[in-house]
Amino acid sequence: MNEEDIANGLGQALDDAMLGYPIVWENRYLRDGSGNLVETPNKAQMPYLVVEFVRTSRRNRALVGGVPKKGSQVSEGFMQITVVSERDAFSSAATGIADDVADVFPPATSITITGGKITIMDFPTVIQGFPDDVSWRVPVRVPYRATST
Amino acid sequence: MVSTFIASIQNFEKFTTQNLRYIAAESVQDVMEHAMRPQPSVKRTGGTFEIGKIPVDTSDLIRSLRSSVGTGGGAMGETSYIAVIAGMDPHDVLTFEWTAKHAAPMEFGFTTKSGTTVPGRHFVGANAARFSEFVERNAAEVRR
């Protein structure tokens, strides 16, 4: 189990939910329905989702004086999925999409990955939206804990 | 996202009130000290940055911290959290707000006018998520 496995597992769960919005993965640009690069997103592409992974802790409990054992490697963090929508539009639509995103990851959800499993530790948090230069953004944070098997 | 204070401490009933207060105060302090670790802005680094540290360009963001207890008005400034934590009790509700207009875009990420997606620095979220870890460590210190 490594960080790539964790990111792939969580990302696949989001993709499998088929929410119907384009997803901008880490270090990737937005693409339109035909897979063409959209260098400057505008209203026509919105709403879309931006995914980030924030790793907060990675440790191996077996190294604390013990022998290697099941579940000894633990990685924690959160996946942030931001709903990016039009500015100067009612915010309820973006918040509704954020709620749909949160519903993909109910607490105690377990996702099997190579060499381990991911558990969603709590209800995802839908954060108060805010504007940037070109959009209205509503982040959703999904706390996870991955353990090796 | 963050476990409650009591849930983070094994056998919490064995700790004195004084010890619980110490663990709570030190753990909140740990979160805040990590959140307030500065890093140069991308203007100076050429675009690289670290997750979990607060970016400093004009210092507007780091100085915009408002720290308060309960419904009090609180104190402003980058070290305002120290006095608030020093006077806290475990049942208090502490609030820390970064009031600069660009605080949310820096924390959660944003899109520039040219359309570039900029990831968040997560200087609050990445450290708040470690609260349980800080509590465990401080509780272990008290047990010794």
Side-chain angles (χ1 to χ4, degrees), chain B:
Chain B
M1 177 184 298
V2 179
S3 299
T4 63
F5 174 60
I6 294 300
S8 300
I9 304 178
Q10 283 184 328
N11 303 321
F12 80 92
E13 69 281 2
K14 292 182 180 173
F15 288 93
T16 64
T17 302
Q18 190 179 11
N19 284 342
L20 287 173
R21 190 207 162 278
Y22 172 83
I23 296 166
E26 286 296 309
S27 303
V28 176
Q29 178 103 359
D30 286 341
V31 170
M32 290 305 297
E33 283 182 356
H34 280 78
M36 295 297 272
R37 283 179 305 170
Q39 63 175 318
S41 74
V42 292
K43 290 179 190 169
R44 276 184 277 167
T45 64
T48 59
F49 61 86
E50 289 180 63
I51 295 293
K53 291 184 177 179
I54 191 167
V56 176
D57 180 16
T58 61
S59 297
D60 285 354
L61 177 57
I62 198 167
R63 288 180 187 157
S64 76
L65 177 65
R66 178 165 56 210
S67 308
S68 59
V69 183
T71 55
M76 291 289 296
E78 62 183 283
T79 58
S80 59
Y81 66 93
I82 296 172
V84 167
I85 293 170
M88 73 173 277
D89 281 321
H91 62 270
D92 283 337
V93 175
L94 308 187
T95 303
F96 303 102
E97 299 170 87
W98 286 262
T99 58
K101 191 178 174 185
H102 58 302
M106 284 295 157
E107 169 69 8
F108 300 110
F110 59 99
T111 307
T112 66
K113 282 179 182 164
S114 63
T116 304
T117 296
V118 179
R121 309 301 195 265
H122 305 286
F123 58 95
V124 181
N127 294 301
R130 297 178 62 194
F131 180 68
S132 298
E133 174 192 333
F134 295 137
V135 170
E136 283 175 27
R137 195 172 64 197
N138 290 314
E141 185 185 321
V142 169
R143 282 194 192 97
R144 280 201 295 268

Side-chain angles (χ1 to χ4, degrees), chain A residues 52 80 122 127 132 137 141, chain B residues 1 107-109 111 120 122 125:
Chain A
E52 293 177 50
Q80 180 177 291
D122 201 349
I127 292 164
D132 61 18
R137 302 171 76 93
R141 282 181 169 172
Chain B
M1 177 184 298
E107 169 69 8
F108 300 110
T111 307
H122 305 286

